[in-house]
Amino acid sequence: GLAEAMGIEDDAARVAADAADIDGTLTGRQLADCLRSGVAFHHAGLRAGHRTVVERGFRERSIACICATPTLAAGVNVPARRVVVRDQRRYTGSSMEWLPTLEVHQMCGRAGRPGLDPHGEAVLVGEPATRAELVARYVEGDPEAVESTLADPASLRTHVLSAIATGFAGTEAEILDVFDGTFYAREAGAGGLADAVAVAVDDLVDAGMVRRETGGVDAYRLVATPVGETTSRQYVRPETGERIVEGLHTAAEMASATTLTAFEIVCDTPDMQDTYLGNRERAEMYSFADNNAAALTTRMGEADDFEGWLEAVKTARILDEWIGGATVEELVEAYRIGPGDLDSRVERAEWLLSAAEALGDTIEVSVPAVPRARSRL
């Protein structure tokens, strides 16, 4: 009745106030406005505090509806009475592609609240012309086969280095024993796993993370180098460790390495999340990189992946302005990033700068800008 309706309105107002207290960004204000009406949105660009408010409010039934990206379906405990999948295609960087069947099933699996609903409802929205395709793909079709993450060579290199650095394995045969019980071993088969491990070991030796120590006429042991040990202990990928070491050596030879230098080193690694670089800001970011070339460890003409490096420069610039006093609101407005995107970059930068300090100690190279950047974050 009226009392229940007033209670729901009070709950919505309380949740909206909680969201408004987190920050004054446009995204935060828009979320608070939605919450006052009992609805919300949820995506990776939200700050962690905002996501928590939305998830808690939905579980407590203070929010009637959430409009979300697939990230909400990836493990967050927010069961719903009804799930509506409005779009079944996603832009993958080059074209619009169908969402994986497994991903759609994961979303639909959120329908049905234990102890509250006798059943859940899942709705796929589409044009009449796509009805047959939707039914064949998502209703009658089988989900895609699950693949092991170790199938990614970069992931395998990380785990091989860990096995060697921790002393669990000292030969390729012992590495195979470590991975013998994994899902990847079953997928690849004995021959495929052996080939992949051999390639990973060669890559790690070439990167200076592992060395072969001769123990006899033809025998040798695999031993992590000091850089390899530190890289593994810091939980960063071998490629990240290699890039940081290279960057530290370059920065140490520079006339005046700055905090921008430190950020560029750690942002130009696979462990830092990509930051979207729009067409409208590409020219401006190019100009920034050109004007600040003396503070960057990579010259524009030397970048293997120029677009990726320019994205790294953008992330480094954002972080440098953040420690310079720029507010969340200013950075979100200037660089077309979500408040949550900034939080995640700051968090990763702290971790990677910590790794850079440890690697600097290992190779006995001092770049004061690295601890200075970390302390100011």
Side-chain angles (χ1 to χ4, degrees):
L2 179 60
E4 182 179 0
M6 291 179 64
I8 293 174
E9 288 182 3
D10 289 342
D11 288 343
R14 174 182 52 78
V15 174
D18 290 342
D21 287 341
I22 293 173
D23 66 30
T25 61
L26 176 61
T27 300
R29 296 197 304 272
Q30 289 174 333
L31 179 62
D33 287 342
C34 290
L35 288 169
R36 292 185 186 95
S37 299
V39 298
F41 53 86
H42 187 291
H43 55 71
L46 283 179
R47 305 191 77 174
H50 283 140
R51 291 199 299 271
T52 298
V53 166
V54 171
E55 292 159 16
R56 184 176 62 240
F58 193 68
R59 282 194 294 268
E60 294 173 352
R61 303 176 71 182
S62 302
I63 300 172
C65 174
I66 302 178
C67 295
T69 57
T71 55
L72 188 63
V76 181
N77 181 26
V78 282
R81 175 178 296 170
R82 181 181 296 111
V83 170
V84 179
V85 183
R86 190 196 68 177
D87 303 307
Q88 296 84 35
R89 292 177 184 267
R90 176 170 54 216
Y91 184 67
T92 60
S94 58
S95 62
M96 297 294 291
E97 302 287 346
W98 287 102
L99 294 178
T101 301
L102 188 61
E103 188 171 317
V104 173
H105 284 187
Q106 176 78 358
M107 295 184 218
C108 294
R110 295 293 170 185
R113 298 171 298 179
L116 293 175
D117 300 319
H119 63 273
E121 298 177 3
V123 180
L124 297 176
V125 179
E127 299 293 332
T130 63
R131 175 184 171 84
E133 175 75 16
L134 293 178
V135 171
R137 183 178 293 272
Y138 297 121
V139 179
E140 299 173 349
D142 293 326
E144 296 79 13
V146 176
E147 294 185 356
S148 169
T149 57
L150 285 176
D152 174 21
S155 177
L156 184 62
R157 282 192 293 272
T158 300
H159 290 285
V160 168
L161 176 59
S162 176
I164 296 171
T166 54
F168 278 98
T171 66
E172 291 183 13
E174 291 175 0
I175 295 171
L176 292 175
D177 288 340
V178 170
F179 293 132
D180 183 57
T182 64
F183 177 48
Y184 178 58
R186 294 187 61 184
E187 278 188 317
L193 180 60
D195 290 343
V197 166
V199 171
V201 169
D202 287 343
D203 289 344
L204 290 169
V205 171
D206 291 342
M209 299 285 162
V210 170
R211 67 175 181 269
R212 294 184 173 95
E213 290 188 349
T214 303
V217 179
D218 294 314
Y220 64 83
R221 298 287 295 177
L222 297 170
V223 179
T225 64
V227 168
E229 287 186 3
T230 302
T231 296
S232 183
R233 193 166 55 247
Q234 295 296 318
Y235 298 103
V236 296
R237 301 185 200 182
E239 297 84 359
T240 294
E242 187 179 11
R243 169 66 181 103
I244 288 176
V245 167
E246 175 190 346
L248 291 174
H249 279 300
T250 302
E253 298 298 321
M254 294 167 60
S256 57
T258 67
T259 52
L260 179 65
T261 310
F263 286 132
E264 183 239 353
I265 291 172
V266 299
C267 289
D268 190 26
T269 65
D271 278 306
M272 175 56 79
Q273 294 169 305
D274 294 335
T275 300
Y276 176 73
L277 184 65
N279 290 328
R280 288 182 295 175
E281 57 185 344
R282 184 173 284 102
E284 201 277 331
M285 202 58 60
Y286 182 97
S287 177
F288 174 84
D290 189 37
N291 293 335
N292 291 273
L296 303 177
T297 62
T298 299
R299 296 181 185 276
M300 283 195 282
E302 297 174 353
D304 294 332
D305 174 12
F306 181 74
E307 287 296 313
W309 176 73
L310 208 56
E311 289 175 356
V313 171
K314 175 181 177 179
T315 307
R317 181 181 183 179
I318 291 170
L319 292 169
D320 205 47
E321 291 185 12
W322 168 252
I323 66 171
T327 66
V328 176
E329 292 83 359
E330 289 169 343
L331 294 173
V332 167
E333 173 87 18
Y335 295 108
R336 300 173 63 199
I337 60 173
D341 297 327
L342 175 60
D343 287 347
S344 66
R345 280 15 171 225
V346 170
E347 184 177 339
R348 282 180 178 257
E350 288 183 296
W351 161 47
L352 293 171
L353 287 170
S354 175
E357 286 190 64
L359 285 165
D361 291 341
T362 299
I363 62 177
E364 297 183 345
V365 171
S366 176
V367 180
V370 171
R372 188 163 69 246
R374 184 185 174 204
S375 66
R376 293 175 63 185
L377 273 177

